[in-house]
Structure formats: structure tokens, C-alpha cells
């Protein structure tokens, strides 16, 4: 990284952090460029050199926050691939707690940022790529189920967008429900199971 790139990176970090701090106190639509610049200690001209609007900065912040998550999330892809190969098909689940709980916990801790991002769907969609989830979990499982490769993107869209719709509702309600409850809801949606009482009554018929 050369000197000019380093200077831009440092300035961008200051503005990212300024927006994150402001989001703790107010919604995105009420945050001005002036406030961001004052908080970051930069001139308005510097802001407009890099961004056209606060929404543009919000997209960068969303990406920055997601990169933070994936940087500390340890995942041994080789071990997981071996697990997928050995498991019976009945035991394979498309959305696993191994990915889900750490991510839900992270979202809850950063709910102000995610709430703002969900209000800007274009930016949210651009930065929610879930590359690791697709590569190491969804695609290998789809292969085990012999789903044609050309159909993978439709299946993946269904699981990811459905999951994100639940997370969006949860975030917009300020994450009142517990991480464990949302995890359970998502997994039940992906793989419905009858409750014990219903199973018992069905067996009696």
C-alpha cells in the first residue's frame, strides 16, 4: 500500500467509525454529511471526494462490518467437507448452527448498523455475499443431494434470502427475541420437524 492509498484507507476508516458512532444515537436518514465530517475530523470536500452520499458510505460500512465478522470467524473448511461426505442425507442441513449462531450473535451486537443497512436494501444486497457459506456448506450439500449444478443458484438464493428476511424482521424489532430463538426459527423453516406432542398424536392414529 503506497502513501496515498494508506491516507485514503485511514480517512475511510475515520468516516466509517464516525457513521457507526452516529448510528448508535439516530437513524441513518437523520444523519448528515456535516455530522459525519465533524465526528471524523475531515472536511466536507474530503467526504465528497470518496462518496456521493451518506448511503454510499453506509454501503462501505456494511462491508466493513461483515469483513470484521469473517476475520474472526474460524472455520476449517476441509474438516467440514469431510463431515458432509460422511453424513447420511437425512442428517444434512442447509443452514447449520455452526455458521448461524455466531452470525446472529454478531448481528445483534451490531444491530444499529444492520438496521440502517436493511433500510438501504441495494447496499445490503451488494455486501451480503456469504461466499464461505455458499462454497463450504450450501454447494457441497446440494451436490450430495444430486441437485443439478445449473440449479444451485436458485436453491442458494432461496435459503439465503429467506434467512435474511427473518434476520431483517428481527433486527427491525431491535433483536428483542433471543439469538437462540431466531436460530431455532430459521432451522425449523429450513427443515420443519413436528413437535413431540404432535408426533405422539400422529403415531396413535
Amino acid at each position: 500500500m503506497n502513501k496515498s492509498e494508506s491516507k485514503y484507507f485511514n480517512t475511510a476508516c475515520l468516516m466509517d467509525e464516525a457513521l457507526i458512532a452516529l448510528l448508535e444515537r439516530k437513524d441513518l436518514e437523520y444523519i448528515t454529511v456535516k455530522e459525519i465530517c465533524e465526528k471524523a475530523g475531515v472536511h466536507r470536500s474530503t467526504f465528497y471526494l470518496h462518496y456521493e452520499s451518506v448511503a454510499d458510505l453506509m454501503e462501505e460500512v456494511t462491508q466493513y462490518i461483515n469483513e470484521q465478522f469473517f476475520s474472526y470467524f474460524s472455520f476449517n473448511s476441509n474438516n467440514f467437507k469431510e463431515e458432509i461426505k460422511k453424513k447420511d442425507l437425512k442428517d444434512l442441513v442447509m443452514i447449520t448452527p455452526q455458521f448461524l449462531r455466531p452470525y446472529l450473535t454478531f448481528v445483534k451486537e451490531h444491530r444499529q448498523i444492520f438496521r440502517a443497512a436493511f433500510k438501504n436494501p441495494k447496499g445490503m444486497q451488494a455486501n451480503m455475499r456469504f461466499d464461505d457459506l455458499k462454497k463450504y456448506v450450501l454447494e457441497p450439500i446440494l451436490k450430495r443431494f444430486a441437485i443439478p449444478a445449473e440449479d444451485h443458484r436458485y436453491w442458494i438464493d432461496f435459503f439465503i434470502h429467506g434467512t435474511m428476511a427473518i434476520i431483517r424482521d428481527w433486527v427491525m424489532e431491535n433483536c428483542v427475541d433471543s439469538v437462540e430463538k431466531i436460530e431455532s426459527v430459521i432451522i425449523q423453516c429450513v427443515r420443519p420437524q413436528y413437535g413431540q406432542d404432535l408426533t405422539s398424536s400422529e403415531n396413535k392414529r
Side-chain angles (χ1 to χ4, degrees):
M1 182 182 292
N2 62 39
K3 186 175 180 180
S4 62
E5 289 174 334
S6 177
K7 183 177 180 181
Y8 164 71
F9 178 77
N10 291 334
T11 302
C13 285
L14 287 173
M15 288 190 280
D16 288 349
E17 290 167 2
L19 181 56
I20 290 170
L22 288 166
L23 284 167
E24 295 287 340
R25 298 192 283 107
K26 52 168 58 175
D27 287 337
L28 181 69
E29 54 264 38
Y30 299 111
I31 296 174
T32 65
V33 171
K34 180 182 177 182
E35 288 177 304
I36 293 169
C37 292
E38 288 177 351
K39 191 80 173 173
V42 301
H43 296 291
R44 287 173 65 93
S45 59
T46 302
F47 179 93
Y48 287 111
L49 183 64
H50 304 296
Y51 313 102
E52 290 186 6
S53 66
V54 176
D56 286 342
L57 177 59
M58 184 66 237
E59 288 188 31
E60 181 178 274
V61 166
T62 308
Q63 185 173 3
Y64 169 68
I65 288 295
N66 276 286
E67 285 172 355
Q68 278 191 333
F69 168 71
F70 288 115
S71 70
Y72 80 71
F73 181 60
S74 59
F75 176 71
N76 190 319
S77 60
N78 290 327
N79 287 349
F80 196 74
K81 282 182 179 178
E82 289 305 311
E83 284 183 34
I84 290 174
K85 290 178 183 177
K86 294 174 183 176
K87 278 190 176 182
D88 291 335
L89 290 181
K90 64 182 177 61
D91 296 323
L92 285 178
V93 182
M94 297 295 288
I95 303 293
T96 68
Q98 187 173 1
F99 268 89
L100 195 53
R101 183 166 296 195
Y103 190 70
L104 291 175
T105 302
F106 184 81
V107 169
K108 186 169 185 176
E109 290 172 356
H110 298 86
R111 57 188 175 276
Q112 291 86 356
I113 291 93
F114 281 90
R115 183 167 60 242
F118 277 122
K119 289 182 178 180
N120 178 28
K122 182 180 177 182
M124 195 67 176
Q125 185 176 1
N127 291 303
M128 291 295 189
R129 295 188 178 91
F130 299 102
D131 291 336
D132 286 346
L133 180 61
K134 294 176 184 178
K135 183 177 180 181
Y136 299 121
V137 180
L138 298 180
E139 289 182 350
I141 290 176
L142 289 172
K143 287 178 182 177
R144 281 290 317 275
F145 281 104
I147 303 298
E150 63 269 22
D151 294 342
H152 283 193
R153 64 191 179 103
Y154 297 117
W155 285 71
I156 290 170
D157 281 347
F158 173 80
F159 284 106
I160 288 181
H161 289 285
T163 298
M164 290 311 299
I166 294 172
I167 293 175
R168 180 190 181 281
D169 286 350
W170 181 51
V171 167
M172 299 309 281
E173 293 294 328
N174 203 33
C175 299
V176 173
D177 289 322
S178 68
V179 166
E180 292 76 16
K181 178 175 180 178
I182 300 304
E183 177 189 358
S184 175
V185 167
I186 291 171
I187 290 174
Q188 285 290 309
C189 286
V190 172
R191 191 173 193 174
Q193 295 178 353
Y194 290 114
Q196 184 63 43
D197 292 341
L198 181 57
T199 303
S200 300
S201 62
E202 288 288 331
N203 290 336
K204 290 176 182 177
R205 291 181 181 180

